[in-house]
Amino acid sequence: MSAVLYALHEGIATITLNLPAKLNPIALDLQQELRECLARVRGDSQVRAVVLTGAGKAFCVGADLSAMRPPEEGKTLGDQTADWMQSMSNPLIQELRELPVPVVCAVNGPAAGAGVGLALACDIVVAARSAYFYLPFLPKLGIVPDLGCTWFIPRRVGPARAMGMALLDQKLAAETAAQWGLIWAAVDDGALGSEALSIAQRLSRLPAHAVQEARRALEQSERHTLPEQLHYESERQRELIGRPSFAEGVTAFLHKRSPVFPPR
């Protein structure tokens, strides 16, 4: 059985974590297959948006501690884990963040441990009301949150709430996550699939470069002063106003119609 399923329909690629009996742990085989799916997205110009979700009752519960292998000779378990992360898990998160198309994460159930980082690496996150976000790393295991959790969470909810999530051993309900700004929205469980697809369809109609520009601009703002960010914005306009998408947008506005942008 494939650990990850891939389907493409009308420009929307749906990627489903498919180890439901174990609540979709981020095992090495799942990570490898997920990276292969991301490579398919990068290589297929017909893909305009992605929906990432989980099969069964959970989105992703993080590492499968029961499947941890003894370390190779000459390595500690920490050495082996760090090496696996640097060769597999960290590139996975970076590849997800660098996809040339927008990614919607449909969190259909618990997102725990590394599953939180995987969800937050996506551009838009919607969650079922029954879902929750949980960081057991430090309270239960004495290790730091990983797969980008310590990068994504404070940028979305601030350092105080990030610290509480890291230390208090508390499950954060989807509705609270939406109220805090950790995710875009919490929706009724039965509406999650249709809502995620609707968002993906809207995103698929954007100019092909829109999501990459949005990611870069928001990340730049984290380290820029206001004058520096104003300069960055004006320099991006210097290039982007010369592109066909701007001309199409202006024409569509003047003719009172929706713009139609070419595929990537």
Side-chain angles (χ1 to χ4, degrees):
M1 181 179 72
S2 296
V4 180
L5 303 178
Y6 183 94
L8 178 62
H9 180 68
E10 295 182 349
I12 310 296
T14 300
I15 300 175
T16 306
L17 310 183
N18 190 43
L19 297 174
K22 302 185 79 172
L23 304 181
N24 301 319
I26 194 159
L28 288 176
D29 58 342
L30 182 144
Q31 293 183 59
Q32 181 59 48
E33 291 185 32
L34 182 51
R35 291 183 68 189
E36 291 169 2
C37 288
L38 299 183
R40 289 181 67 177
V41 170
R42 289 195 302 272
D44 187 350
S45 61
Q46 298 305 306
V47 179
R48 296 293 299 264
V50 171
V51 175
L52 175 65
T53 192
K57 297 179 180 179
F59 170 66
C60 176
V61 293
D64 185 357
L65 298 180
S66 66
M68 293 191 80
R69 305 172 190 172
E72 300 171 7
E73 186 175 352
K75 286 187 176 182
T76 66
L77 184 58
D79 290 334
Q80 181 164 278
T81 301
D83 289 345
W84 283 344
M85 289 180 67
Q86 290 172 14
S87 65
M88 181 66 71
S89 308
N90 295 353
L92 165 62
I93 296 300
Q94 290 177 284
E95 289 163 6
L96 188 54
R97 286 294 293 173
E98 294 167 3
L99 278 185
V101 297
V103 184
V104 180
C105 186
V107 180
N108 54 297
V116 176
L118 182 62
L120 297 183
C122 301
D123 299 299
I124 303 287
V125 182
V126 290
R129 293 193 198 281
S130 65
Y132 60 80
F133 299 82
Y134 176 48
L135 300 181
F137 297 94
L138 283 162
K140 297 296 189 185
L141 300 168
I143 60 176
V144 296
D146 57 22
L147 264 70
C149 286
T150 61
W151 196 90
F152 294 118
I153 295 174
R155 282 166 170 76
R156 297 191 182 200
V157 302
R161 282 173 167 162
M163 186 66 79
M165 288 184 66
L167 295 180
L168 291 179
D169 193 26
Q170 186 170 315
K171 296 172 182 176
L172 186 71
E175 289 193 4
T176 304
Q179 291 166 4
W180 284 10
L182 185 69
I183 65 173
W184 174 250
V187 300
D188 292 340
D189 287 29
L192 179 65
S194 60
E195 180 65 16
L197 179 59
S198 175
I199 292 172
Q201 289 169 336
R202 290 167 59 190
L203 295 174
S204 73
R205 295 190 285 270
L206 294 173
H209 60 283
V211 68
Q212 292 168 309
E213 289 291 339
R215 290 176 192 144
R216 292 187 194 119
L218 294 175
E219 288 170 6
Q220 290 290 336
S221 73
E222 291 287 339
R223 49 183 175 267
H224 279 173
T225 63
L226 176 58
E228 288 170 338
Q229 189 67 7
L230 290 169
H231 180 73
Y232 174 87
E233 292 170 351
S234 63
E235 286 300 310
R236 293 312 300 137
Q237 306 302 42
R238 186 191 303 275
E239 177 185 340
L240 296 174
I241 284 175
R243 292 192 182 185
S245 56
F246 180 75
E248 164 61 11
V250 171
T251 300
F253 174 79
L254 295 176
H255 288 83
K256 299 182 179 180
R257 62 170 174 80
S258 297
V260 179
F261 299 110
R264 62 185 176 97

